[in-house]
Amino acid sequence: MTAEEQRLDSLNQAQALISAAQRPLLITHIDPDGDAIGSLLGLGWALVRLGQSPVLYCRDGVPPRYDFLPGADRVVTTPHGSTDLVIAVDCADIGRLGLSADDLSRLNDRPSINLDHHVTNTGFASVNIVDTEAVASAEVVLQIVDALGVPLDATIATCLLCGIVTDTLGFRTANVTPRVLEQAARLMRAGASLAEINEQALNRRPFSGLCMWAAGLKTLRREDSIVWAHLTRAARAECGPVQGAETGLVSFLLSAQEAEVAALFTERDDGTVDVSLRAKPGRDVSAVAMALGGGGHPLAAGCTLPGPLDEAEARVLGLLRAHLREQAEGGRYHRR
Ligand code: 5GP
Ligand code: MN
């Protein structure tokens, strides 16, 4: 089968599973971002239009900045009730689902669909639609919505456009093609407001988030083309509760002219360290993240490491140095 035939075959299989379901459980990843929530809600609304009663689950709930999305108040933080189909969106591996061991074994015998765009996706479901060319999982959800024959409306379109806008940082990432702009235009024609999504999801952050930028930037370091910073538990406590507000700081670190890769290390309350990695086009931090048990995309990846902070930093910096050295050596023979 060609790749295109395979894609159509998986779409057909997913469509058949969805059509046979009554009460699907939709799951998006822990520490959700705009694509996670937008894809979850967009697909949820499409299934509601089909007369289904989906349960929308995200272990960590909806970050306040995505409260404006229709249906945000319907997302639950425990996967309650019976279900006849599990659909994961934007989850690269089973760990990202945030399910307890009990829930995982309870759901183990249900059919499952995995809709995603991460290169590191492990293909953990019965039907896997992983389109690594898609800039957001929302684009993959759009393919499913079309395959199901659900007409786009403003509600579905707003959720999906939010996924595309946030994962491309407002159409600024290297993977944005004319196709992506065409999809976005289609979602706008269906009634999604690009201006409102930009305003809510990109132009605002809580003051506590700015406080964390200040705390993080105080720890700013550079070694050749690696720029990094960290947020200690104490700094986070001082700034007040903030969920996902670290998002943005690591991209800001990468904006340094000298930077080829950037890393942000955030100490969690349980002492583990959340590692956020970013790279300039031509580099690849997904391999480093995967080597440490995480995953992501070539230009944006992450993982969680045991503490303490300085040991986690040393491990990641070691791998980043090796990665840059390897590319420098390869680059002499293989010009990009
Ligand atoms: P962020 O730095 O924004 O948290 O994550 C960047 C990218 O890496 C996202 O696509 C996210 O899904 C992925 N990612 C972040 N942390 C992890 C992780 O611990 N495991 C996996 N598999 N992917 C991660
Ligand atoms: Mn995501």
Side-chain angles (χ1 to χ4, degrees), residues 29 33 92-93 96 118 247 276-278 293-297 300-304:
H29 65 80
D33 51 26
D93 55 63
R96 301 285 286 166
H118 291 93
T247 322
S276 250
L277 301 172
R278 295 292 184 273
H297 310 285
C303 60
T304 300

Side-chain angles (χ1 to χ4, degrees), residues 312-331:
E313 285 194 33
R315 273 178 82 185
V316 173
L317 287 168
L319 286 180
L320 288 176
R321 282 184 200 111
H323 168 69
L324 290 170
R325 224 176 15 242
E326 242 168 58
Q327 276 211 331
E329 281 159 13

Side-chain angles (χ1 to χ4, degrees), residues 93-156:
D93 55 63
I94 288 188
R96 301 285 286 166
L97 302 173
L99 291 169
S100 65
D102 280 354
D103 282 323
L104 265 180
S105 67
R106 178 171 68 84
L107 296 168
N108 200 25
D109 60 346
R110 305 297 138 83
S112 54
I113 302 174
N114 165 12
L115 305 176
D116 190 30
H117 70 131
H118 291 93
V119 288
T120 57
N121 193 290
T122 56
F124 53 85
S126 5
V127 176
N128 300 285
I129 304 183
V130 180
D131 180 355
T132 56
E133 308 251 297
V135 294
S137 292
E139 270 200 272
V140 182
V141 172
L142 182 55
Q143 293 178 31
I144 283 281
V145 171
D146 286 340
L148 290 168
V150 177
L152 280 183
D153 58 27
T155 304
I156 298 173

Side-chain angles (χ1 to χ4, degrees), residues 226-249:
I226 309 175
V227 171
W228 74 98
H230 66 238
L231 289 163
T232 60
R233 241 182 297 191
R236 287 177 48 248
E238 220 165 273
C239 290
V242 51
Q243 199 183 12
E246 301 94 322
T247 322
L249 177 52

Side-chain angles (χ1 to χ4, degrees), residues 1-18 112-115 126-130 143-144 147-148:
M1 259 199 270
T2 66
E4 180 58 12
E5 281 167 347
Q6 229 160 29
R7 189 183 75 88
L8 291 174
D9 187 52
S10 317
L11 269 177
N12 281 337
Q13 288 180 38
Q15 188 198 346
L17 283 180
I18 291 173
S112 54
I113 302 174
N114 165 12
L115 305 176
S126 5
V127 176
N128 300 285
I129 304 183
V130 180
Q143 293 178 31
I144 283 281
L148 290 168

